[in-house]
Amino acid sequence: MRFTRTAGVAVAIALLLAGAQAAEGETRSPGAPPGIQIVPGPEGPGEAQFVPGASNVVPATAPPATDIGTSKVQSLAAPFYACPGFSGIDRTNPLANLYRDTYAWGPYAPVKVGNGGGNINWLANPYKNASWYMWFHSLRWLGQGIIAGGKGDLAAMTRVNTIAWDWYRDNPYSWKGNVGAWESTMHRANVLICLRQAILSGLQVTTVPARYAWIDTALLSHARFLTYNWSGAWNHGTDESIALFGLGCTLNRTDYKNLAVQRFGAAITTSIDAQGSTNEQSTGYAAFNYSLWGRAVAVMQNCGVSPGTTIPARRALLAKWLTLATNSLGKLHQLGDTELQATYPWPGTPMEYAGSLGTKGTVPPWRVGVYAAGHVFGRTGWGTDPARRFAGESTYSIRFGPARAFHGHSDHTSITYTSRGRDIVIDGGYAAYSAGVWRSWTLSPSAHSVLTTPLSKDTNPVTRLAAYAVKANAEAYQFTDVPGSGISRIRSVLVLKDPDLIVTWDRASSRTAQLYRTLWHLPPDQRATVYSRTTAVAMAPGDSTKTIVFQVPFKQALPAGATLVHQARTNPIQGWYYPSSYVRKSAPTVLMARSGTMASILSFVVPVRATGSVTYRVRQSGPTFIVSLNVGGKPATIAISAGGSLYRAG
């Protein structure tokens, strides 16, 4: 899954909105080049999102927006719905392959799926992959042929028409019994709209000739399906509403447009909440939703319907969220079903500064964001200090909140961290939905930097942020939950600036004996070595930075094997990283281990220069436990009060 913004969308112009409220779209301009007009839509998830046997409907739970479609847009341009393109799937399916009935998707080799004459086997799924099959039924792989046909290449037009007609003939309405055909309905509707436009453009006619009349019939059947099957308040439902609106605009059907507008209003306030968080528990899907709702604004405007003010306002809040979710490397913290990806520097939004690594735009006024939907994002600054610059800042994320859902992982209390211009603590990443045990691992607590209880079943808990405090040189947080039956867990987190480091104090108790493991997932380029019972050191060969991970005994003696490093293990799976759905890398994981009915693990993650060192001493001052640190010559003191508060004392 890649959420890549295309240049065409980035520079597109909406009719009424600008800056942080700009949408992806453009108005029809006179003197356009030959062929169909393509305004690329967001390059969305590459993976099928429907889970067999599960409901794909996300109910709208917040009060709907009522300001959408209440007025018309006054424009010099005639209403239109532009072809949204083919999401990059056409790049691996050149015109020559279409003449051979050959289809390619993702990491898989091209496959001949027909008889060479446009008669396709729509049941083909040689790789037994739901995403391969779903995009096969989307017809997006016909994109290059549609573009060529729109420019007057009649042979190309004939071939793509033959294949599209073959799909329509072989998959009679309703195709709900075929999950691949069902999930791809909105995408296929857009492809058929593009094909319709290519026919009009390529033949230089204004109405669809009788030979191609089947297309309008097919569009009506797709509109019928979308009318009666709406996925609700998440990205899939928004995409469906955009396609339904596009069908209404193309076929001049006010009823379709009105229904789509109603659904936009119902979905927006649930899809993006009043703080700007999406409901999908994934930074990648948050970025996709930002683009997707921008496209919704543009298609409404371009067809003469006002999108109101709620959608732009919620997108502006989401822009702030995505800005804070950008780390010091210019990438989104990789949370939930998210591939490693850069933040797009949307002009006129705070993401322009974050995504450009501080070279464009305005310095954002926020440094820390705490979101009730379950995300904490923080940073030491935005690079305005010449001694640090953008990449020299430290950034972090922490997860909490509602139980795992949608595209989220079992990552509550997990931390990601960047400092000194590199990743320090990472997430396990995002494995393809078809990856079996690997997918299960990436979803599990074991793929995240949390305190795990591997002998107990994960209960998918709700995690509460019990307290937090933000100061100029430190942020403190405390989280509580029940990660397994009869198990209580508390994590206190302290993030320091000057010196930059993270401290966590994990404590847990259980009715029965458990294994307890505080995990720290480190980047795949680093090599980690256990230095002592308390300490592991990780460093990439030739790097200028190393990471020292250590624990200080507190309320519990350290047993033998208290600090371990696991890497590239398969039974059980541990020590891996997925930067993208189909790429798996070996990566070190530091484990701090305990067993029994309770655990107290006070751990430190300290990035220092390659030649640097960390020393510490502990003392008791009345009921307060104090750790005095020296990090590469910089002092810092942390303390734990009698009441259990972890804070910076100096």
Side-chain angles (χ1 to χ4, degrees), residues 324-410:
L324 287 165
T326 302
N327 66 27
S328 57
L329 309 179
K331 294 179 170 56
L332 293 173
H333 289 282
Q334 194 178 1
L335 306 178
D337 287 342
T338 300
E339 291 189 335
L340 187 63
Q341 66 183 85
T343 297
Y344 189 84
W346 289 97
T349 77
M351 287 186 284
E352 182 176 20
Y353 187 90
S356 70
L357 303 179
T359 62
K360 298 178 181 178
T362 303
V363 179
W366 330 281
R367 190 175 60 82
V368 175
V370 178
Y371 290 92
H375 291 89
V376 175
F377 301 116
R379 58 198 313 119
T380 53
W382 286 104
T384 55
D385 182 349
R388 283 182 175 266
R389 302 296 185 188
F390 192 94
E393 302 286 5
S394 296
T395 59
Y396 63 92
S397 73
I398 314 174
R399 283 281 288 121
F400 70 102
R404 183 183 72 82
F406 312 116
H407 294 288
H409 292 181
S410 293

Side-chain angles (χ1 to χ4, degrees), residues 458-527:
D458 174 34
T459 56
N460 189 21
V462 173
T463 301
R464 186 171 69 94
L465 174 59
Y468 73 94
V470 176
K471 297 183 178 180
N473 62 355
E475 291 90 64
Y477 308 91
Q478 186 177 102
F479 306 92
T480 64
D481 62 14
V482 179
S485 178
I487 302 172
S488 66
R489 177 175 66 171
I490 302 173
R491 166 165 273 194
S492 295
V493 181
L494 183 63
V495 186
L496 270 61
K497 176 180 180 179
D498 292 327
D500 293 7
L501 58 91
I502 285 182
V503 188
T504 61
W505 179 29
D506 291 319
R507 55 268 204 209
S509 61
S510 58
R511 291 195 299 262
T512 59
Q514 296 287 334
L515 297 179
Y516 303 96
R517 301 287 187 267
T518 289
L519 307 180
W520 294 105
H521 289 267
L522 307 181
D525 64 329
Q526 289 189 329
R527 298 174 183 172

Side-chain angles (χ1 to χ4, degrees), residues 86-432:
F86 310 99
S87 194
I89 294 175
D90 54 318
R91 288 195 288 267
T92 56
N93 291 279
L95 185 54
N97 282 9
L98 303 188
Y99 289 124
R100 294 191 290 264
D101 291 347
T102 298
Y103 163 66
W105 178 82
Y108 302 109
V111 174
K112 186 171 182 178
V113 291
N115 67 352
N119 185 6
I120 307 299
N121 175 16
W122 296 105
L123 297 178
N125 190 2
Y127 301 108
K128 294 179 171 52
N129 182 283
S131 301
W132 186 98
Y133 186 71
M134 188 270 288
W135 290 117
F136 178 42
H137 277 263
S138 77
L139 303 183
R140 280 185 172 177
W141 54 287
L142 303 182
Q144 290 201 27
I146 291 172
I147 292 170
K151 294 179 179 179
D153 185 335
L154 299 186
M157 185 188 303
T158 298
R159 172 46 60 113
V160 293
N161 179 73
T162 298
I163 294 174
W165 157 247
D166 186 73
W167 186 93
Y168 183 63
R169 179 187 60 195
D170 290 355
N171 295 274
Y173 184 90
S174 162
W175 42 87
K176 195 168 183 178
N178 181 339
V179 69
W182 171 17
E183 182 177 1
S184 61
T185 298
M186 58 193 180
H187 305 303
R188 190 172 52 254
N190 277 317
V191 171
L192 293 177
I193 289 173
C194 296
L195 176 57
R196 186 183 192 275
Q197 293 173 358
I199 290 168
L200 297 177
S201 174
L203 298 179
Q204 299 183 40
V205 295
T206 56
T207 58
V208 176
R211 176 185 175 187
Y212 300 102
W214 73 271
I215 289 179
D216 282 357
T217 304
L219 291 177
L220 288 170
S221 68
H222 281 67
R224 180 183 178 193
F225 187 94
L226 292 171
T227 295
Y228 292 106
N229 298 278
W230 182 47
S231 297
W234 63 304
N235 74 84
H236 210 280
T238 307
D239 243 337
E240 289 168 341
S241 298
I242 291 171
L244 181 61
F245 187 91
L247 288 163
C249 191
T250 298
L251 300 175
N252 196 26
R253 288 286 299 263
T254 302
D255 53 339
Y256 297 157
K257 290 189 290 184
N258 287 346
L259 179 57
V261 164
Q262 177 186 331
R263 289 175 175 175
F264 287 139
I268 181 60
T269 49
T270 297
S271 180
I272 306 175
D273 71 18
Q275 284 188 305
S277 298
T278 69
N279 60 346
E280 302 200 39
Q281 299 185 356
S282 156
T283 47
Y285 276 90
F288 178 53
N289 273 285
Y290 181 83
S291 299
L292 194 62
W293 281 103
R295 176 165 166 74
V297 167
V299 298
M300 281 188 278
Q301 290 174 322
N302 291 338
C303 203
V305 173
S306 169
T309 59
T310 300
I311 296 176
R314 293 294 171 103
R315 286 186 78 229
L317 292 169
L318 178 53
K320 174 184 176 181
W321 190 98
L322 289 164
T323 299
L324 287 165
T326 302
N327 66 27
S328 57
L329 309 179
K331 294 179 170 56
L332 293 173
H333 289 282
Q334 194 178 1
L335 306 178
D337 287 342
T338 300
E339 291 189 335
L340 187 63
Q341 66 183 85
T343 297
Y344 189 84
W346 289 97
T349 77
M351 287 186 284
E352 182 176 20
Y353 187 90
S356 70
L357 303 179
T359 62
K360 298 178 181 178
T362 303
V363 179
W366 330 281
R367 190 175 60 82
V368 175
V370 178
Y371 290 92
H375 291 89
V376 175
F377 301 116
R379 58 198 313 119
T380 53
W382 286 104
T384 55
D385 182 349
R388 283 182 175 266
R389 302 296 185 188
F390 192 94
E393 302 286 5
S394 296
T395 59
Y396 63 92
S397 73
I398 314 174
R399 283 281 288 121
F400 70 102
R404 183 183 72 82
F406 312 116
H407 294 288
H409 292 181
S410 293
D411 59 357
H412 283 189
T413 75
S414 183
I415 296 169
T416 64
Y417 187 49
T418 68
S419 188
R420 294 182 57 85
R422 63 164 295 121
D423 282 312
I424 302 298
V425 178
I426 64 172
D427 184 86
Y430 167 38

Side-chain angles (χ1 to χ4, degrees), residues 58-80:
V58 177
T61 56
T66 58
D67 59 320
I68 303 171
T70 56
S71 60
K72 292 184 177 181
V73 172
Q74 300 300 318
S75 170
L76 297 177
F80 75 102

